[in-house]
Each structure stands twice: as C-alpha cells, then as structure tokens.
Amino acid sequence: MHAKLRRTTGIAASILLSLALFPGTMLAGSTASNSGASQFQSQQPFGIRVVDSKTGRGIPAVELRTTNNMTFFTDSAGYVAFNEVGLMNETVFFHLSSDGYKVPQDMFGYYGQAVEVTPGGSVTLTMDRVNIAERLYRLTGEGIYRDSLLLGKTPPINEPLLNGKVMGQDSVQTIKYKNKLYWFWGDTDRVAYPLGNFRVTGATSKLPGQGGLDPDAGVDLSYFKQDDGFVKSLVPALPDGANIAWVFGLMTAKDASGQERLLAGYSTHNPDLSAFGILQFNDQTEQFEQLVQFPDKNDWRHPGGQASYYKENGKGYWVFTEHRMPNLRVPATYDAIKDYTTYEAFTPLKPGTTYNGADTQLERDASGKLVWSWKQNTPPLKQDQEKELINLGVIKGTDARYYQLKDADTGADVTIAGSSVEWNDYRQKYVLFGQQMGGTTSGLGEMWYAEAPAPQGPWTTAKKIITHNNYTFYNPAHDEFFDKDGGRYIYLEATYTNTFTDHEPTPRYNYNQMMYKLDLANPDLGLTPPATDLAKGKPIASASNEKNQPAKLANDGSTETFWTSAAKSPQWLKVDLGVPSSINRIVLNWGTAYGKAFQIQISNDGVKWKDVYNTKTGDGDVDDITIADTKARYVRMYAIPRGAKLSVRDFEVYGTEQSSK
C-alpha cells in the first residue's frame, strides 16, 4: 500500500512540475488532443456483414479477429460495426471463425480476408456452412442486434438491445397456452449484480400469423417484470424452503371446472436437490403456485426435460425426456398429472423390478419375446443400462432395442445427454433432437437428429446436424409451434454456454438461447423421401359398419374418428387408390377392438386378391407393416373376428402413386 501511495505521489509531483515549467506546451497539447477526439467521435463505423453462402442470411456469433488480436462478434443479423479509430482507411485482415461454418484457407494457412476499411463503408463476407442446421439468431440476452443499430439498420424485434434487463438465461421451456406462447427459463443473469433470478423467469409472445413474427425473423418476448424493470421471480417460496427453483415438462389440462390450466413439473435445490412436484400457473398474479409436492425426491415418477403431447388408442398422454430419452409418460388429465402413481415408464423390465446389472429381470411373453411396454411401478430402462444389458447378453441379439442410436455415417454409438421429441407431419414420424454426451468436438456441444414411428422409439439411427468446438449446447427444445411448410422446416433452440468446458465465454452470446432451423428436405440429412399416405381421403368400403361409424372414418386422417364393424365374420376394409401404385407399407391403427387374425391383401381389379401379409397373433395398438414394393390399385384388410366387432382409427397405405396415363 505504501509503495502505491509513493508512486502516485511521485507522478502527481511530476505533472505539477511540468505545468509550472511549461504551461503553454501542456495546454496546447490538451487542446489538440480534444480536437482529434472530436473528429474520431463523429466518425461513422465500417459495416461488416458475414453471410451464409447457401442462403445469403447473416450468420450470428462469427468471430472476426485482427492481426493484433482484437476480437469482434457478429450480431444476430451477421453485422459487426467496426470503429477502431487507429485502423480506419487501412487494409485490415480479419481472421474468420464460427462453429459449424468455414472459409477457404489461404496459401499460408490463414482463414480470413483482407478488407479496405473506410468510415461509413461496408463489405459482405461469406462463409460456407458445415452444419446441416442453419443458425438463425439469439433469442435472449443483451445486445442481440447491437451492431445492426450502430450501423443504422432496423432490427426485426421490438427490444433489440436489453429486454427485461436480461444478460443471460438458462434452459428454455415453451408451450402454447390460451392462444399465446408462454416461455420459461431457469437461472437468469442481471445487469446490476453478478447474482440474478434463481426462481424462474417468464415471458409471452404472439403466435406466428396471429401478430407474432415469422420464426425466421425472430421472437418478440414480453417478459413478466418487477418494478425496477428486471424480470420477476415466478415461483414464490415453497414449503421445503429451498432457495433455487426450476420448472420443466410444461403441460396443459382441464381442471374439475373445465378450465384449461398451465401446469409444470418443478424441482427445488439448496443447492442439492430438495423436492419434486407440480406447479400451476396463476393467470391473474402471473406466477406459479404449488399444486402438489411429491413424497420422494429420489423417485423416478415426476415430469422433467421437455414434454410432448400425443395420443395412443384415442387417449392423450404427456411424454417426457426427464431420463434423457422419451421413456416416461402420464395420462393428460389434471388428476393424473398431480398423482405420481399414474406415471408410467417404457421399459422391458419385469413389472415391479429395477435395473440390477447382470441380475436384471426382463419381462418375456410365452414365446420368449422381450416385452417392451408402458408400465407403472417399474422404472424406465435408460440408454446406458440397455447397452450394458446387451453387452452382458441379458438382452439378446434377436431382442428389440429402443435407445441404441448409431451414427448414420460411421455406425458409432451416439450417447444422449438430453432430448426433445415431437410429431412431424412432413416426415409422418416422430422426430428427435438429441444432445450428445462425449462428442468428438465437444463433450456436450453436438446435436443429432433421429426419427421413429412412436415417441418412445425405437430410436436407431441419428445424423449430426450441429457441432461446436469445445463449447456446450444443452437442453434442446424443438419449437414445434414454429414448424413451417407442413413440417418441412423445423426449429430448434438450446442454451449456448462455455459451462463444462475451458473455453472463454463468447461476449454477449454466452449463457443464452440460440435458434437453429433444419430443412428436412436437405439431401445432406440422407433421409428417404417423405412417406405419402396414398389411402388418405380415397374411396373406401367395408363389409359392414355400426351406425355413424362408416368406413370413411378410417382414412379421414384423424385418429379421433374410427370405423366400427358389426359383430360378425368375416370383416374387411378396402381402399381404392384410384390408379395402380407401388406400395411398400401399410399402417393399421386399431381402436379398442382389434383383429388378432387378419391378412393384408392387394388387387388390381378389386375382385382377385393376393395376400402380402398374414398374422394370427395381432395385439392391437398400431401394426406398422412393411412389404416388398408391390404394384396394386386396391388394398384390403381382411379379418376373421369370430363374432366380435372390429374398429380401425387409421388405415394408411404408403408408397408411390403411379401416373394414370
């Protein structure tokens, strides 16, 4: 301390001595300096925009670095407002780098470009996209369109600089509720202090087409705020007294009065896990209230991860990715959601047992077939546990496997740390975004795409769509309410952060949500062409039907309606495709009464029939039947129900329609 004081005193004395000896010189120098500063302050910045060579769209989060290691990052429109006064009217080389994008390497091994920098000038630079998914913009945090504004550009969102005084936000949950989108995040950083909000932050936005922005442009978030303008805490103190609260698994359900309610699973931490339970959103106070605390924080039966609504046999469920994959569900009713005993796991474990390594007990039917099904009081079999049982030989080579994802290009295992699953109309399948654990470029920064016929799988093959270098991209969320062009374009966001790495944080972007867009028609995905239901809406007939449940309800495209036969044998359901078509797949979504013994038959004249599938062990639910490519105009389900009724929700035929000429 004394040395510092002496040094400061010495500097002050020197300044005073100079003023006494050379007063004119010091004053003149001060005046000249102020004149130069004024000139620089009025100088316009040089605009640099970095765009995707495929789409021409600006790329967010591109790093530009000068030869003296000054770094700049493009904003969400791909702009940098460069205003380094010492480098104006100079040729400046910028090193360019961005995860998932590249530029050509020059003869000396550098990746970048030299630019003539002039006040008020501009340049556009291009980068080639390596990622299959396209980075669109940052949704949260400070300075989303900072550089665009400095360059006089008009940003697409209403709050482009500092919305809700939010600096950073963790892990998004979003749901459509009462004709709006409701957004919730975990821990949220503030401007005024290093510690922020640890009890859930929220916002709303309008739906696209109903006053909301096109998802390609952005999202206008209206935060729930407190009086000082910072986002307010949405979870008041709960009985367990823990200081930290998170929400996940957002759901809607009607209460006893028939009112739609917004529900969420929650966990509290202090900082270790304290409790799980269910919260209910109060529309008047715009805060969550406790509905129930579950009795055991170590029990697997609680919502978590991302939630997705789906129907099975006409009954609605919420399925969750709490255990990394979509292997947990609950009936989509108010009473079931708050009763932990109604939660089910998708598992091959013998009912009532748990995973126990080589001594694990699996459920098999009389023929020895492994029984994967939704079960109460039996925990899910996780991806790593399934792999261990395969290695031990407990799960045999001929047994069904549900979570052993393989890289579509290399065949390597893909271990999932978190996921989000939704139905996709374009692919006519459930699609999954999975965050990889232990990726090649980043331990938690690589994102994969996969497809399956049901939310629980089987998930078998995955394609890498997003990569990061030593950076984390966690807790993925598929924003299915933004899907465009019949589901061809889908939107994914996740938390972009240096957490769990030794990477320096990216200024402004770190610990915030980044949006990506995936084109499911992109040939780089290597997907088969999307399946077309040739039977939908085509002429259909049946051997008989109950009143008000005719055959046409089996191919109207709705699982809410169904054909029901009379109680006599035989029964058949026949669809006319209109022209001979190449078919390779038939899907029967049975109602409550299914055919145990039935055939799938084809014909070109509707008179002579040929069997292409035959079973005597049908078990209802959904029969997804693959056959060799066969040309036919008529397809028929023919069954011998032995005096019982049959019901079919959907009779679907997939293939390629042939020309009628």
Side-chain angles (χ1 to χ4, degrees), residues 300 323-325 327 345-349 353-362 370 372 378-396 400-405 413-416 437:
W300 57 270
H323 303 290
R324 301 186 179 178
M325 299 294 282
N327 52 15
F346 190 75
T347 178
L349 296 178
T353 68
T354 60
Y355 173 80
N356 191 25
D359 296 323
T360 298
Q361 299 180 59
L362 302 179
L370 188 62
W372 281 88
T378 310
L381 190 67
K382 299 177 182 178
Q383 187 186 32
D384 58 338
Q385 294 173 338
E386 182 188 25
K387 183 177 181 179
E388 179 67 16
L389 293 182
I390 291 169
N391 293 336
L392 290 169
V394 178
I395 292 180
K396 302 172 185 176
R401 303 172 184 196
Y402 270 79
Y403 304 119
Q404 298 311 298
L405 277 171
D413 292 342
V414 180
T415 302
I416 297 300
M437 179 182 292

Side-chain angles (χ1 to χ4, degrees), residues 61 67 201 242 401-402 517 642:
T67 58
T201 296
R401 303 172 184 196
Y402 270 79
K517 174 183 177 181
R642 297 183 182 178

Side-chain angles (χ1 to χ4, degrees), residues 41-64:
Q41 287 167 2
S42 64
Q43 187 168 264
Q44 291 184 337
F46 178 73
I48 305 172
R49 194 179 196 203
V50 185
V51 301
D52 186 320
S53 62
K54 292 181 181 179
T55 66
R57 183 189 177 96
I59 307 170
V62 176
E63 179 184 306
L64 290 82

Side-chain angles (χ1 to χ4, degrees), residues 83-94:
N83 204 13
E84 182 61 29
V85 293
L87 295 180
M88 285 296 174
N89 299 305
E90 296 287 344
T91 300
V92 180
F93 184 88
F94 291 98

